[in-house]
Amino acid sequence: MRLGWPLLVLALACGAPALAAWPPPRALDPDRLAAAGLRVVESEHATLVTDAPASPEVDGLPRLIELALPQWRERFDASPDEAWRLRVYLIEDEAKFRSLGLWPVKSSDFQHGLSLGYEVWVRAQTTDYYRRHLLLHEATHSFMATRLGSCGPGWYMEGMAELCGTHAWDGRRLQLATAPATRVAAPDWGRVRLVRDAIDDDRLLSVEAVRKIDNRVVLPTESYAWVWALCHFLDKHPAYAERFRKAPAWVNSPQFERRFTRMYAKDRERLEQEWRLFVTTLQYGHDLQREAIAFESQGASTEGGSPRIELKVDRGWQATGLRVEPGREYRIAALGRFVIGRDPDGAPWPCEAGGITLEYHDGRPLGLLLAAIDAGPGAFTRPIEIGSRGVLRPESAGELFLRVNDSPNRLSDNTGELTVRIHKN
């Protein structure tokens, strides 16, 4: 699954300073194409040239470009250009394309895909999803290079192509920048597993480390997984998405990286905390809206000097507003029943703060009350088990956060609230 196109060539291609720098593709000779066993399928803005056998999936690829165009225009704030047209070469037998002079002159070889101006080359794949993913990835490069004049720095260039390459398709409707809900829905894609494997091998990359990924050299597939993860995280997170979507306006600026850094300077520490939590717990169908850390306390009532918090069970970590200190004990008690999941037929799983052993997440009972102390980048990746009743003995000072134990892709079926009382000793 290595995306092995010559990335120096692609980086230069996406750094083109002017739209006029890209000439239209050479004219096609229908008779020569047919004699070589190549077919042509056209739509309003795309021409597919391929030696792959006719099928609804293959012959429907030009329609994907039509459906993607308005989404690229909106995302990249590019005005409509009816003259814009993409040529797609879908390749089974490389020799046929070489013999007709349809091979990229700036590249002698590539493993999966290549984009140069208004032309993209995609090698045949064994699954429909990954074929579409590669086409949308390369076509995103083409759109940015020809309509914006640049794709930005390497991590952003590849991250945006990966982001727009992930998609949902039901045969009629296409939605770009949609992470697969399950592994089965995206065979051969594998980005989630690559990030999780890196975490397991103690190779977690910080946000800054991902932004240093340089595509002027051939990258391993894991690097594509990291740049996808960062762009997906920033694009979907409720606290960061609005800012992130301003970045296309800067792709031609030599100050892109400086402006990007400045854009998140005020909440850099929080961003890094949430990023570490995201990649450490990454799942297919990861619900960033619900998993986003609630750094601002919703307020807690006080009874007899002891805080009382109404905890939402369908959300991730939530601030309590209570600052804890080492050397003190805090007795925590949780009351209430809530729903932590459902059977396939919709039957609810009732739960209390002690959790249920019907199912486990991250080695702990589902629904178990957990605590974390906001005291550093990795604070939320090392939760403390509390349950219905527990005693917290902090090792460091910081604000106390709480949540119930559940997978980031299964929070939406939780309902109810949990009342938590905290007593200082």
Side-chain angles (χ1 to χ4, degrees), residues 82-102:
E82 297 306 318
W84 189 90
R85 188 172 186 84
L86 183 68
R87 184 178 296 172
V88 178
Y89 303 103
L90 178 64
I91 305 152
E92 287 199 347
D93 183 354
E94 176 182 322
K96 294 178 180 179
F97 293 83
R98 286 187 178 275
S99 69
L100 294 172
L102 298 178

Side-chain angles (χ1 to χ4, degrees), residues 252-264:
N252 285 294
S253 171
Q255 301 299 316
F256 182 100
E257 292 288 23
R258 182 175 297 179
R259 295 182 70 171
F260 192 92
T261 298
R262 188 165 60 243
M263 185 166 64
Y264 291 109

Side-chain angles (χ1 to χ4, degrees), residues 293-307:
I293 299 173
F295 284 102
E296 306 303 326
S297 172
Q298 298 302 304
S301 60
T302 302
E303 295 180 1
S306 299

Side-chain angles (χ1 to χ4, degrees), residues 200-396:
D200 291 344
D201 290 342
D202 199 27
R203 289 184 286 108
L204 188 154
L205 297 187
S206 66
V207 170
E208 292 305 311
V210 175
R211 289 175 58 195
K212 290 178 181 176
I213 289 177
D214 185 356
N215 69 344
R216 290 175 296 178
V217 297
V218 176
L219 297 174
T221 311
E222 183 182 301
S223 293
Y224 290 90
W226 281 111
V227 295
W228 163 77
L230 180 56
C231 286
H232 175 78
F233 169 75
L234 293 173
D235 188 63
K236 304 302 180 186
H237 195 289
Y240 310 123
E242 184 177 354
R243 283 173 280 178
F244 180 70
R245 293 176 188 178
K246 296 177 181 178
W250 317 331
V251 291
N252 285 294
S253 171
Q255 301 299 316
F256 182 100
E257 292 288 23
R258 182 175 297 179
R259 295 182 70 171
F260 192 92
T261 298
R262 188 165 60 243
M263 185 166 64
Y264 291 109
K266 290 183 179 179
D267 44 11
R268 179 179 177 180
E269 182 177 332
R270 288 184 175 183
L271 187 150
E272 190 67 45
Q273 286 179 311
E274 298 216 63
W275 164 249
R276 287 174 175 266
L277 177 64
F278 170 66
V279 295
T280 301
T281 61
L282 182 59
Q283 303 281 343
Y284 283 93
H286 199 107
D287 191 341
L288 269 165
Q289 291 288 324
R290 294 178 185 273
E291 266 290 296
I293 299 173
F295 284 102
E296 306 303 326
S297 172
Q298 298 302 304
S301 60
T302 302
E303 295 180 1
S306 299
R308 171 177 168 169
I309 297 130
E310 300 298 329
L311 192 70
K312 296 178 180 178
V313 298
D314 63 345
R315 295 293 189 272
W317 290 105
Q318 299 158 58
T320 64
L322 175 66
R323 183 173 179 81
V324 298
E325 301 172 359
R328 299 195 65 170
E329 288 187 348
Y330 300 83
R331 290 183 290 112
I332 301 174
L335 299 173
R337 290 172 65 85
F338 53 93
V339 172
I340 194 61
R342 296 181 184 274
D343 287 329
D345 64 3
W349 296 353
C351 185
E352 297 180 356
I356 58 173
T357 56
L358 179 65
E359 188 172 318
Y360 284 72
H361 169 65
D362 200 23
R364 301 180 180 91
L366 211 62
L368 181 70
L369 180 63
L370 303 174
I373 300 169
D374 184 5
F380 299 99
T381 64
R382 301 185 298 273
I384 304 162
E385 296 183 11
I386 300 296
S388 296
R389 291 182 179 274
V391 177
L392 178 68
R393 300 178 179 87
E395 295 182 358
S396 57

Side-chain angles (χ1 to χ4, degrees), residues 31-74:
D31 293 335
R32 291 188 67 204
L33 292 177
L38 272 61
R39 302 184 299 112
V40 177
V41 182
E42 299 202 59
S43 65
E44 183 180 357
H45 294 97
T47 298
L48 171 68
V49 180
T50 184
D51 59 339
S55 72
E57 268 288 340
V58 169
D59 291 11
L61 294 178
R63 174 161 170 73
L64 285 184
I65 301 301
E66 303 300 333
L67 296 173
L69 260 175
Q71 298 180 60
W72 286 324
R73 289 168 179 159
E74 180 180 6

